[in-house]
Amino acid sequence: MDFTFSDDQLAFREAVSRFLMTEAAPEMLREIWETDVGRSPDLRHKIAEQGLTALSVPESCGGLGMDDVAWSLMTQELGYYAIPDSLADTAYVAAGLIAALPERLPSREEWLRRITDGSIRIAVGHPVNPLVADAHPADLLLLAHGDEVHAVPRALADVIANPSIDCSRRLGRVVWEPNTATLVAAGEAGRALWAATLERGVLSVSGQLLGLAQRMLDLSVDYTAQRKQFGKPIGSFQAVKHHLADVATRIEFAKPVLYRAAHAVARGDADASVRVSHAKLACGEAAWLAGRHGIQVHGAMGYTWEVDLQMFMKRAWALDASWGDRGFHKARVAGFVLGDAAALGPGRTFGE
Amino acid sequence: MDLAYTPKQRAFRAEVRAWLADNVPRTPLVSYDTREGFEQHREWERRLFDARLSMVMWPEALGGRGCDLIEWLIFEEEYYASGAPLRVNQNGQLLLGPTLMEFGTEAQKQRFLPRMAASEDMWAQGWSEPNAGSDMAAITSKAIREGDHYVLNGQKTWSTRAIYADWLFGLFRSDPASSRHHGLSFLLVPLDTPGVTIRPIRALNGKEAFAEIFFDDVRVPVENRIGDEGKGWHVAMATAGFERGLLLRSPGRFQHTARRLVALYQAHRESADRDPTIRDAVCESWMGAEAYALSAYHTVGRLAKGARIGDEASTNKIVWSELDLKMHETAMRILGARAELVAEAPEAEDGASWLEGFLFAQAGPIYAGTNEIQRNIIAERMLGLPKS
Ligand SMILES: Cc1cc2nc3c(=O)[nH]c(=O)nc-3n(C[C@H](O)[C@H](O)[C@H](O)COP(=O)(O)OP(=O)(O)OC[C@H]3O[C@@H](n4cnc5c(N)ncnc54)[C@H](O)[C@@H]3O)c2cc1C
C-alpha cells in the first residue's frame, strides 16, 4: 500500500507548473479574454510543444498513455493558472472517450494522433452539461443523442454563444442533427462511453477547482502579508488568519479525496462514481470557501476587476455546477451511502 | 405590546402600494453603475420626490412628509416588494442626510437637504483612502484653512458612483499636526471644483461602480464644513451606527429577496431537492429576513420611547450582509449550471439578476465597516471583552 505519487509524477507536475507560470500569466489571460474566440492558438501551440496534449493518448498512437491519477495533478495546475483553453477537454476527457472507441473505427487513430500533435480541438457535449464548453473553436464535437455518441465536424453544427461570468469560459448551445455518418457508438457501448466520460469530466473540473482554491489562497496569503492597517499587516489579525486557515484545511482534505477518486476511475472500481462525486463536492467546497474568504480578506481590492483574484473566483463559481451541480453529486453519494447494499465496513476505503 | 397597525399606517401602506403599482417602471432600469443607468435612476428619484415619497421620514419643509419610523418601515416593505429601482442617491440621503439634520446649521439644511431629497444633487462618500480602509482614523487627506476656505490635498478611494455624482462628503485632516481621530473635519466638496480629478475603478461586474478621487489644491468654502473644525470624527460617527445598520439596508429589501428565493425554489423544486441543504437554506433565508424585520420593528419601537441605539447596531450589519450572501448563494445553487450565465446569454432568463445580486452580495461583508471589524466592536464594546 502506497497512497502517494512517484517522484516522476511530482517532477512532471512541477515542470507543468513552471511552464504555465510563464505562458499563462494573468495579464495574458486578460488579453485572451478580449479576443473574439477567447482562445490563443499560440498558447495551444506551446502546450502541444510541451507534449501536454499527448498525455492521455495511448502510446500506440504516439501519446504518453498517462492515466487519471497523473491527470489529477495536471488538472490542479490547469486550475491554478486558470488557463483559458480547453486542453483538459480535448487531451483528457475527449482523448479518453476516443481511445475507448473500437480500434476498427477508421477515424479513431487519426483523431488520437491529432490530439497528440495538438492540431485538433475537441469539445465534449455530455448530457449532464446543458451547454457545451468550447464548442465554438472546436474542430470536432462529441455529442450525445440518447445513448449514441456522435463525432460531429464543427461545420455541421451551429453554436449559440451563452457568455459566462468567467470570461475564460466559452459556452454554447449546440444545434445539430444526428446522422449515420457521425455515429461512432450506440446502445450499450454508447452508454458505457458516456458513463466513463462523465467520471473523467467530473475529475477534470474537480482538479481544476482544487487548483483554483490553492491559487486564491496563495494570492490571499501574499496580499494579507503585505497590506497594512492599524500599523500591522492585516494577516496578523486573528480573524484574517482564521479565514485563510479554514481554506487551507478544506484544501488539504480535498486533495486525497481527489486522488482516491482518480485512482478508482483509472482502475475502473465499482464505487468510482461515488468517489468522483465525493471529490467534486470536496474540491468545490474548498474553491467556494477560498473565493469567499479570499475576497473578504482582500477588502475592497478583491471586489475590483483589476485585482487578479476575480479571475480565479469567477472561474470557481462557474465550474462549481459544471459536470453536475451539487445536487447531482450529493444524490450520487446519498444513493450509495444510504443504499441497502452499501459496503461501508473496514477495508472498504481502498476496496477489497 | 400592540401589534396592530393603526388606521393611519394602513392607509399609508395602501397609498404607497397604489402609487408604486402605477409608477414603477415596467422594464428594469439600466444598472446605476453606468452613466446611462445613473441618469435613469435620477429621473426615477425625481418622480418619487414629486410624489413626496423620496424621503418619507424627513420633515415636510425639507422635502419629506414627516413619517415616523414605523411608517418608514412600511414604505420600505412596499417599495422593495413592488420591484422598484434601487435608490441611487441613498449614500447621501441615508448617511449624510441624518448627519446634516443633527449637526448642520439651519442654512446648511435648507441649502442641501431639499435638493438631496429631489436628487438634484447626487452625493458620493469620501471616507476611505488607500491606506485608510478599516483603519479610517489613518486618513491623511488634508484640508488646510486659508482664510474663509480650506485647501484640500490628498486622495480618497472606493467612492461609490463618484464619477457620476455632483458632490462628495467626507473627512479631511484640518489639523496637520493631529493624528488618528483628532483634527479631522467633515467637509462637503462640489466635485466640479478645480483641482478635483476622478478616476473610475472597475468593480467585479466590470462596471465603473466606484472611483478614486485626487485633490490638488482644491478650495472649499468654510461654510461647507459640518460641525466644528477638528470634530469631524465625532460628527461622522454620531449617526453611523443606526444608519449603517438599519437605514442603509431596511428589512423590506431582504424580505423581498427571501420571497423571490422561495419562488425560485418552487419553480425548480424537483432539481433543487436533490440537494437537501437547499430546502433548508430557503427556509432559513425566510426566517433570517423575518427576524431582521422583527428586530427592526422592535428597535424602532424602543427608539420611539427615547432609547438610543448603541454598539448593538454592529450586529445589524453582520446579519443583513450574511443573510444577503446566503440567499444569493442559495439561488446560485438552485440555478445550478445556469447560474454562471450573464444577462447577454440567451439561456440566462431570470438567472442573471441573481448572478448580479450574488456579485454585489460579496461586497456586503466588506463595505460599511467589514464584518471582522463589526465583530471586534461587538466583542469589545458590546460584550466588554478585553482588547487584543
Ligand atoms: C462595493 C463597495 C463600495 C464602497 N463604497 C465606498 C464609498 O462610497 N466611500 C468610501 O469611502 N468607501 C467605500 N468603500 C470602501 C470600504 O469602506 C472599505 O472597503 C472598508 O472600509 C474596508 O477597507 P479596505 O477595503 O481597505 O480593507 P482592509 O481594511 O485592508 O481590510 C482587509 C481585510 O482585513 C481585515 N481587517 C482589517 N483590520 C482588521 C482588524 N483590526 N481585525 C480583524 N480584521 C481586520 C478586514 O476585515 C478585511 O477582511 C466601498 C467598498 C466596497 C466593497
Side-chain angles (χ1 to χ4, degrees), chain B residues 325-343:
Chain B
L325 200 52
K326 183 197 181 83
M327 292 195 288
H328 285 92
E329 278 180 352
T330 304
M332 296 284 280
R333 300 265 189 268
I334 294 174
L335 289 165
R338 216 151 54 81
E340 66 177 295
L341 299 182
V342 298

Side-chain angles (χ1 to χ4, degrees), chain B residues 46-68:
Chain B
R46 291 205 179 116
R47 263 166 84 183
L48 271 178
F49 175 74
D50 289 342
R52 279 285 183 277
L53 287 173
S54 77
M55 295 313 300
V56 291
M57 76 281 209
W58 287 11
E60 282 178 38
L62 297 174
R65 57 196 285 165
C67 287
D68 62 20

Side-chain angles (χ1 to χ4, degrees), chain B residues 80-358:
Chain B
Y80 286 103
S82 75
L86 293 176
R87 304 296 304 272
V88 66
N89 206 12
Q90 66 179 3
N91 288 343
Q93 292 166 339
L94 300 181
L95 300 175
L96 175 58
T99 305
L100 272 169
M101 300 265 187
E102 191 167 339
F103 294 95
T105 62
E106 208 43 50
Q108 286 174 328
K109 288 185 204 174
Q110 289 302 334
R111 180 176 167 207
F112 294 113
L113 290 171
R115 289 177 61 83
M116 188 189 294
S119 284
E120 280 163 42
D121 296 330
M122 303 293 262
W123 288 85
Q125 304 179 79
W127 314 113
S128 306
E129 298 181 1
N131 292 313
S134 294
D135 185 11
M136 205 169 100
I139 284 172
T140 57
S141 290
K142 288 187 182 52
I144 304 301
R145 182 88 178 245
E146 275 183 19
D148 55 2
H149 278 77
Y150 289 101
V151 179
L152 275 49
N153 280 288
Q155 182 193 347
K156 295 287 175 185
T157 191
W158 310 127
S159 191
T160 297
R161 293 183 286 280
I163 56 168
Y164 317 117
D166 309 303
W167 283 79
L168 176 98
F169 63 99
L171 287 180
F172 294 81
R173 200 161 287 286
S174 50
D175 174 0
S178 68
S179 71
R180 309 297 298 161
H181 315 82
H182 309 284
L184 297 167
S185 291
F186 193 118
L187 299 180
L188 311 181
V189 185
L191 287 172
D192 59 2
T193 314
V196 173
T197 308
I198 308 178
R199 279 218 300 256
I201 304 175
R202 286 216 279 167
L204 204 52
N205 62 6
K207 302 200 172 87
E208 295 179 337
F210 39 40
E212 44 188 356
I213 306 177
F214 300 87
F215 303 89
D216 187 10
D217 287 336
V218 174
R219 294 176 68 80
V220 173
V222 169
E223 66 256 26
N224 287 12
R225 191 191 66 229
I226 308 297
D228 293 339
E229 184 171 288
K231 293 283 182 276
W233 184 269
H234 171 69
V235 174
M237 290 302 133
T239 48
F242 180 57
E243 278 69 35
R244 288 189 183 193
L246 189 54
L247 279 191
L248 187 62
R249 293 288 181 260
S250 70
R253 177 169 173 152
F254 303 107
Q255 289 180 297
H256 179 56
T257 307
R259 284 191 300 269
R260 281 176 60 223
L261 185 63
V262 169
L264 186 73
Y265 168 77
Q266 284 166 337
H268 299 268
R269 188 191 293 265
E270 205 181 315
S271 62
D273 277 347
R274 291 168 311 144
D275 178 352
T277 62
I278 288 181
R279 202 186 142 88
D280 242 16
V282 172
C283 294
E284 279 173 14
S285 296
W286 178 82
M287 290 192 285
E290 205 65 8
Y292 188 54
L294 292 170
S295 162
Y297 274 94
H298 184 60
T299 302
V300 156
R302 288 196 299 131
L303 283 172
K305 287 185 179 162
R308 275 289 298 172
I309 301 298
D311 296 317
E312 72 272 22
S314 283
T315 61
N316 269 334
K317 164 71 210 306
I318 292 175
V319 166
W320 65 249
S321 60
E322 293 181 1
L323 171 64
D324 199 42
L325 200 52
K326 183 197 181 83
M327 292 195 288
H328 285 92
E329 278 180 352
T330 304
M332 296 284 280
R333 300 265 189 268
I334 294 174
L335 289 165
R338 216 151 54 81
E340 66 177 295
L341 299 182
V342 298
E344 295 77 50
E347 299 189 30
E349 296 163 39
D350 58 334
S353 67
W354 284 107
L355 177 63
E356 269 296 314
F358 172 75

Side-chain angles (χ1 to χ4, degrees), chain A residues 44-60:
Chain A
R44 174 51 76 96
H45 181 70
K46 286 179 178 153
I47 287 172
E49 261 178 11
Q50 292 290 314
L52 300 184
T53 51
L55 296 184
S56 275
V57 175
E59 288 170 49
S60 61

